[in-house]
Amino acid sequence: MGKWELTMEPVQEWGEEHEDGVVFGITLRREPVQQSAEPTEAFVQYRTCKVRRIKAATLEKLVSHLLDPCCQEQHYSRILLSTYHTFTSSNTLIEMLFQSDNLASVLDSNNYHKSSLWTLLQTWLEDYSEDFRDPPMHSSLRLMCLQLRGHSSLFTLAKRYEALLKKFQTEDNLASQSVNKMEERDGDQEGKNFELDFTDFSITGVAEQLTRMDAELFMKVVPFQCLGCVWSQRDKKENLSPTIWATITQFNTITNRVITSLLCPSSDLVQPHCPTSTTTQRARVIEKWIRVAQGCRELKNFSSLRAILSALQSNPIYRLKKTWAAVSREAMSVFENLYETFPDENCVLTSTDIFVDSSPGGTVPYLGTYLTVLTMLDTALPNTVEGGLIHFEKRRREYEILRQICQLQSSCSQYVLPHHPHIAVWLHNQKLLSDQESYELSRQLETPHATTPSSNSGWSQRTLTKKLSSLLSGNEGSRKNADQISVSSSGSSSSEMEEISASLSLSLITPSLSSSGQNTAVAFPFSSSPDDSTVSSSSSSSQQNLSMSPSSSSTSADPHLVSTHRRSVSMITLPFYNRQVDDSCIIRVSMEICSNGNMYKSILLTSQDKTAHVIQRALQKHNLEDVSGQDFSLIQVLAQGRELHIPEKANVFYAMSTSANYDFVLRRCLKGQRKQLIRSVSLSSGRATK
């Protein structure tokens, strides 16, 4: 085998092929030709095979490709079943499958059980059955049973789907009974909570119980609910991602449990004041939690590990500098090592870290890392491409992340951990402190000292542009694929990008549900520096709604404390949408006249974007693709009612005012009125300053 043969690339991207309603990516694959048993010459023959994969298509073409026996992509059906919720519903997909033109010929053949439809329905049932769970009626599952009953050749599958419906109905009844039993159990345990104390538990026992609970919850996570445009939809009244929010609640509970055990070691929070603990006692509790975190790391439970680290870095705990000074050097060394070696989103992108290692035993990941990556994918790539085609290449990349989650869920079945009932009761059945209560108790324990402001840093010196480049590496990655930034493909609130920016600071802030009248805890906390002069929202993740304001300030910790307890989480005052970094930034654009309220859509702006291009992208994000951008002007909203009109042919990145918030509005020009897009300030005197 010669050197030339060794260096040949087995796969080569060749371009695209366009057909009616579909765009194929073409790959040339080099494969060895099967040799005879006794080759006469010492060389290897190869042949080049042309492989097509769908990059974008209409919904009809995507569904018909599912039933195409000539489909060359091995995991095509799994990619579609994992991500179809982003562009259609279960009912629509079922109806389209059974309305296919070639359905009759497929089912009438003798090999119908080997057909693409049979394989698809079987895969859907076995690996994606949670798609049909929609209590109390489970309408999509009933529709599937009805369609299958209409074809005698699918009778076997119909029986299996009907068995799934009965299973769901039984589980619904058991769940209702379980809620009543839990309420009774909580009432019985209420008087027993006061006998439990964290210092009485073994470190191994706490780590094992945390891992046991986290693994059970993680195995119930429905992968498609992790998709950025699904789990982050705070403008929907119904809970579209119950398994994600269950994990979030668990994370918040553990974080708050750690904080409460440090500030108020007694479980009797009914008293007017918590019993006062000494500095040494609190230091010993911190050391024990660090050892518990180390135990979670050894069990590869990254969820509770992150919860403990976040709690110890929260404002009420971090500001206790006397307490931290009493923590042993050994414990501090372990604490810093645990944080510095914690896997981040790069590990998910490369699939090479401990999240997906092959060592024996289960792994519970920090789900926030995956939610971050999937949110970034959703915001970086558009849902549709030219011609309104569904961007299936985006779904293919999302599937790779979801596949990792499925692999980790399978690994959790390898856990064999004992149950510690007293620890479980202590973790869940005690009253927790609110954010404000935690901060006030912290100030009572250690009197605040003056702090000096410090400059803000980005999220560990990594920029959004670099992170998006990592996501898009190895592909076309053209700027048109990365120019749309929003939390979801549907509507989003004006606080949208504050949350995205915070999530990219190594932690993930869950979207507020205040628009639907709910109070929700912060899911994966964002740590900021404590401010001893005012009570601020901590990252303790208690049952309070966290609102981040672009103008919120933070101050640095005391220099002496920094020397003994180095802060690892970057501190951010203004989110990324208010900063220009590496020739890019994020702006928010709303419509001046919008039927669904003053809704912002966030867009990634680069130093190459002209006004017309930004206007057109903003219209697309507001679902106004058919409206001409020439009918609108782009205006930056300044303070005190002032405005900055961006000229029609200007470079928006350089024309905008960086001293104001990066908020813009699209204003429709009156008929017959020529746009006067000159850089001026209206409604008030003075010019905008850079």
Side-chain angles (χ1 to χ4, degrees):
M1 190 176 293
K3 178 179 179 181
W4 176 80
E5 190 276 331
L6 286 172
T7 58
M8 288 180 62
E9 292 292 335
V11 177
Q12 182 179 1
E13 293 294 331
W14 194 251
E16 296 179 347
E17 287 185 358
H18 294 253
E19 296 182 3
D20 185 24
V22 61
V23 177
F24 290 98
I26 308 300
T27 301
L28 299 183
R29 189 179 303 276
R30 185 173 58 89
E31 298 178 349
V33 177
Q34 187 68 31
Q35 298 290 319
S36 60
E38 297 180 0
T40 57
E41 299 185 33
F43 64 87
V44 180
Q45 290 182 327
Y46 289 88
R47 64 180 179 183
T48 300
C49 301
K50 174 183 174 182
V51 180
R52 302 204 308 175
R53 72 180 187 281
I54 288 184
K55 298 183 67 175
T58 62
L59 178 58
E60 291 75 13
K61 291 292 184 179
L62 290 176
V63 174
S64 64
H65 198 61
L66 277 173
L67 307 179
D68 185 358
C70 299
C71 177
Q72 296 176 302
E73 189 168 4
Q74 181 180 2
H75 300 294
Y76 175 77
S77 61
R78 291 185 176 274
I79 296 172
L80 191 140
L81 289 175
S82 297
T83 61
Y84 74 86
H85 299 271
T86 61
F87 51 83
T88 190
S89 64
S90 299
N91 285 0
T92 301
L93 182 57
I94 294 171
E95 291 173 349
M96 294 183 69
L97 282 173
F98 286 93
Q99 292 173 1
S100 176
D101 295 336
N102 59 345
L103 179 63
S105 59
V106 170
L107 298 180
D108 290 341
S109 65
N110 295 328
N111 295 325
Y112 63 86
H113 59 284
K114 297 182 181 179
S115 66
S116 302
L117 177 62
W118 182 281
T119 302
L120 173 70
L121 295 177
Q122 186 168 278
T123 301
W124 202 349
L125 173 66
E126 295 175 353
D127 298 336
Y128 302 92
S129 59
E130 288 296 322
D131 289 6
F132 302 103
R133 188 186 295 274
D134 183 22
M137 295 303 297
H138 307 287
S139 59
S140 58
L141 184 52
R142 292 179 182 275
L143 176 61
M144 176 67 83
C145 294
L146 180 63
Q147 293 285 1
L148 292 172
R149 280 291 183 179
H151 304 276
S152 58
S153 56
L154 300 177
F155 179 78
T156 304
L157 280 176
K159 296 291 291 183
R160 295 179 62 187
Y161 273 93
E162 289 169 355
L164 178 64
L165 177 58
K166 293 179 181 178
K167 175 187 174 184
F168 283 172
Q169 292 172 335
T170 301
E171 291 176 352
D172 292 343
N173 294 332
L174 292 176
S176 177
Q177 297 173 10
S178 177
V179 171
N180 297 331
K181 291 181 179 180
M182 288 179 62
E183 292 176 351
E184 295 176 0
R185 184 194 65 185
D186 293 343
D188 295 338
Q189 293 289 347
E190 186 175 356
K192 303 177 182 179
N193 290 342
F194 307 144
E195 304 172 3
L196 305 175
D197 191 278
F198 174 62
T199 57
D200 297 333
F201 303 138
S202 69
I203 294 171
T204 301
V206 176
E208 288 177 342
Q209 186 60 34
L210 288 174
T211 303
R212 181 186 176 99
M213 295 188 303
D214 289 340
E216 290 176 354
L217 270 180
F218 178 63
M219 291 176 68
K220 296 178 181 179
V221 167
V222 180
F224 86 82
Q225 294 181 6
C226 297
L227 292 172
C229 64
V230 176
W231 83 270
S232 61
Q233 291 191 45
R234 60 186 164 278
D235 56 334
K236 300 293 184 181
K237 293 183 179 180
E238 66 272 17
N239 188 354
L240 299 179
S241 305
T243 61
I244 305 302
W245 288 104
T247 305
I248 288 171
T249 301
Q250 166 78 352
F251 184 96
N252 290 338
T253 300
I254 301 307
T255 302
N256 205 333
R257 180 69 268 165
V258 175
I259 294 173
T260 303
S261 68
L262 278 161
L263 299 178
C264 192
S266 172
S267 57
D268 188 0
L269 299 184
V270 180
Q271 301 295 332
H273 301 286
C274 288
T276 303
S277 58
T278 65
T279 299
T280 303
Q281 289 173 333
R282 292 193 297 273
R284 299 295 82 82
V285 174
I286 288 179
E287 291 174 357
K288 186 167 184 175
W289 274 118
I290 292 175
R291 290 195 290 271
V292 171
Q294 189 177 27
C296 290
R297 177 63 180 81
E298 293 171 356
L299 290 171
K300 294 190 290 185
N301 177 6
F302 297 98
S303 182
S304 283
L305 169 58
R306 184 56 178 265
I308 296 171
L309 295 179
S310 299
L312 295 179
Q313 292 174 335
S314 65
N315 288 348
I317 305 304
Y318 174 69
R319 66 170 300 278
L320 301 174
K321 61 180 181 179
K322 294 180 181 179
T323 300
W324 281 103
V327 175
S328 66
R329 290 185 178 182
E330 179 184 359
M332 286 304 305
S333 177
V334 172
F335 176 72
E336 293 185 358
N337 180 69
L338 288 173
Y339 187 86
E340 291 173 355
T341 60
F342 193 91
D344 61 9
E345 57 272 16
N346 283 323
C347 302
V348 177
L349 296 172
T350 58
S351 305
T352 57
D353 204 78
I354 44 184
F355 274 166
V356 289
D357 67 7
S358 57
S359 59
T363 300
V364 181
Y366 168 55
L367 192 60
T369 305
Y370 288 88
L371 298 181
T372 298
V373 173
L374 288 168
T375 299
M376 290 166 61
L377 275 173
D378 182 57
T379 58
L381 302 174
N383 292 322
T384 58
V385 295
E386 185 178 356
L389 302 181
I390 296 172
H391 193 183
F392 199 70
E393 190 70 23
K394 171 180 179 177
R395 307 308 167 193
R396 187 175 285 106
R397 298 178 192 176
E398 290 175 329
Y399 167 74
E400 292 301 322
I401 308 300
L402 297 182
R403 189 162 60 91
Q404 291 185 38
I405 294 176
C406 293
Q407 291 173 349
L408 292 170
Q409 287 179 312
S410 299
S411 77
C412 285
S413 61
Q414 301 177 31
Y415 279 119
V416 182
L417 299 171
H419 178 52
H420 302 274
H422 294 295
I423 298 177
V425 169
W426 180 81
L427 288 171
H428 281 299
N429 288 0
Q430 288 185 298
K431 183 179 178 182
L432 301 176
L433 297 170
S434 67
D435 286 345
Q436 185 169 351
E437 289 172 338
S438 298
Y439 200 84
E440 289 176 350
L441 278 173
S442 177
R443 290 166 61 90
Q444 292 173 14
L445 292 173
E446 292 190 20
T447 306
H449 295 276
T451 59
T452 56
S454 65
S455 61
N456 300 303
S457 60
W459 42 295
S460 298
Q461 307 303 318
R462 293 174 296 178
T463 64
L464 179 63
T465 302
K466 292 181 180 179
K467 190 60 60 179
L468 296 181
S469 299
S470 298
L471 289 169
L472 299 172
S473 61
N475 299 281
E476 298 83 22
S478 60
R479 223 172 37 77
K480 67 179 181 179
N481 289 337
D483 63 3
Q484 299 191 40
I485 299 293
S486 71
V487 167
S488 65
S489 56
S490 60
S492 54
S493 73
S494 61
S495 62
E496 176 180 57
M497 288 315 300
E498 287 93 330
E499 294 175 355
I500 289 183
S501 301
S503 74
L504 300 181
S505 63
L506 299 179
S507 298
L508 185 62
I509 294 262
T510 59
S512 166
L513 295 181
S514 58
S515 61
S516 58
Q518 304 181 39
N519 288 328
T520 305
V522 179
F524 302 96
F526 164 71
S527 299
S528 60
S529 178
D531 183 354
D532 285 333
S533 61
T534 59
V535 177
S536 62
S537 295
S538 73
S539 60
S540 61
S541 302
S542 68
Q543 304 303 317
Q544 298 292 328
N545 197 29
L546 176 66
S547 60
M548 292 182 56
S549 170
S551 60
S552 61
S553 62
S554 62
T555 57
S556 65
D558 186 272
H560 172 71
L561 180 57
V562 173
S563 64
T564 59
H565 173 48
R566 180 166 53 84
R567 186 69 174 243
S568 300
V569 177
S570 58
M571 294 169 285
I572 299 177
T573 297
L574 293 180
F576 270 101
Y577 94 99
N578 265 353
R579 291 195 316 177
Q580 292 184 345
V581 181
D582 286 358
D583 294 331
S584 67
C585 64
I586 294 173
I587 65 173
R588 306 186 307 179
V589 185
S590 64
M591 302 292 297
E592 189 174 61
I593 301 177
C594 187
S595 59
N596 59 346
N598 187 21
M599 196 72 68
Y600 281 110
K601 296 294 183 179
S602 301
I603 297 176
L604 178 63
L605 179 70
T606 72
S607 59
Q608 306 299 317
D609 289 330
K610 299 297 181 65
T611 302
H613 186 47
V614 173
I615 291 176
Q616 198 60 48
R617 294 208 324 261
L619 290 172
Q620 292 174 359
K621 296 302 288 291
H622 283 279
N623 299 319
L624 298 173
E625 296 90 345
D626 298 333
V627 179
S628 173
Q630 297 179 356
D631 297 334
F632 291 85
S633 58
L634 182 65
I635 299 170
Q636 184 177 7
V637 180
L638 306 180
Q640 300 177 352
R642 297 181 301 161
E643 296 179 344
L644 174 63
H645 292 252
I646 307 299
E648 185 175 7
K649 298 182 179 180
N651 185 311
V652 180
F653 185 83
Y654 297 106
M656 64 186 291
S657 170
T658 57
S659 62
N661 287 338
Y662 294 7
D663 295 341
F664 292 77
V665 62
L666 290 186
R667 177 175 298 164
R668 186 182 293 273
C669 299
L670 299 177
K671 290 185 178 181
Q673 180 183 11
R674 182 181 178 183
K675 297 183 188 178
Q676 300 295 329
L677 298 180
I678 59 174
R679 188 178 182 189
S680 61
V681 177
S682 62
L683 302 182
S684 142
S685 61
R687 294 183 59 85
T689 58
K690 291 287 285 185

